[in-house]
Amino acid sequence: MKILFEKFERFIVLTLMAFMMFAVLLATIEVGVILWQQMVKPPFLLLDVKEMMEVFGFILMVVIGLELLETIKAYLDKRVIHVEVVLLVAIVAVARKIIIMDYKEITPQMILAVAALVISLSIGFFAVRRALDGPGKNGAEKTDG
């Protein structure tokens, strides 16, 4: 029964990887199409701020997809979900949301909520990173020299 479950789990993970790869490919093509469409519109080869934000949002979406793909790949290889990578994906996703926000239409409460989310994710990432590095890393250990 255990072997059957492991084969089923592997099949599901490989299927998810294939779906993710296809989604990242489609998103990359979409970025190219959007960029091309924006560049050929008058004024030729110039983008306004709104158009650049749209392109940047799609590019970050592709980066998020790649990071999620890396998480799935790491799970397939080591049967471990790396919390550090998941937090990085969340930080990139929030950054994407911040970039594409229309600041004329959001409330101060929304800005505070996003700020709290960024701070929480950053603290979480810092804590996980510090735990993974262990004490005395990053030049913090003392030497008797």
Side-chain angles (χ1 to χ4, degrees):
M1 187 67 168
K2 182 179 178 183
I3 293 173
L4 179 64
F5 177 75
E6 287 174 0
K7 287 185 185 244
F8 176 75
E9 182 182 27
R10 183 169 177 81
F11 171 76
I12 294 298
V13 171
L14 287 172
T15 303
L16 289 173
M17 279 186 72
F19 290 162
M20 200 67 199
M21 290 168 63
F22 185 65
V24 168
L25 175 66
L26 290 179
T28 304
I29 292 169
E30 181 75 14
V31 169
V33 168
I34 288 171
L35 189 57
W36 176 256
Q37 288 174 342
Q38 300 297 339
M39 296 297 283
V40 297
K41 284 186 345 187
F44 188 68
L45 297 179
L46 294 176
L47 297 175
D48 65 20
V49 173
K50 184 177 179 187
E51 293 165 340
M52 284 192 309
M53 292 302 143
E54 182 181 359
V55 171
F56 290 165
F58 273 99
I59 289 171
L60 284 175
M61 185 65 74
V62 172
V63 170
I64 291 167
L66 288 173
E67 289 297 330
L68 287 173
L69 189 59
E70 187 66 32
T71 301
I72 295 170
K73 189 172 84 173
Y75 179 77
L76 184 64
D77 290 343
K78 301 175 185 170
R79 299 262 192 254
V80 173
I81 294 179
H82 295 278
V83 176
E84 183 181 18
V85 176
V86 173
L87 286 170
L88 276 176
V89 169
I91 289 169
V92 172
V94 172
R96 178 190 176 275
K97 183 66 176 173
I98 291 169
I99 288 172
I100 64 171
M101 270 185 186
D102 184 2
Y103 291 97
K104 295 176 185 168
E105 297 183 13
I106 61 173
T107 64
Q109 293 85 2
M110 181 67 159
I111 292 174
L112 288 173
V114 171
L117 186 57
V118 169
I119 291 168
S120 300
L121 288 170
S122 299
I123 291 170
F125 180 78
F126 175 78
V128 168
R129 186 67 184 209
R130 186 151 189 167
L132 291 175
D133 286 345
K137 296 279 183 166
N138 298 329
E141 73 182 87
K142 296 185 179 190
T143 60
D144 291 334

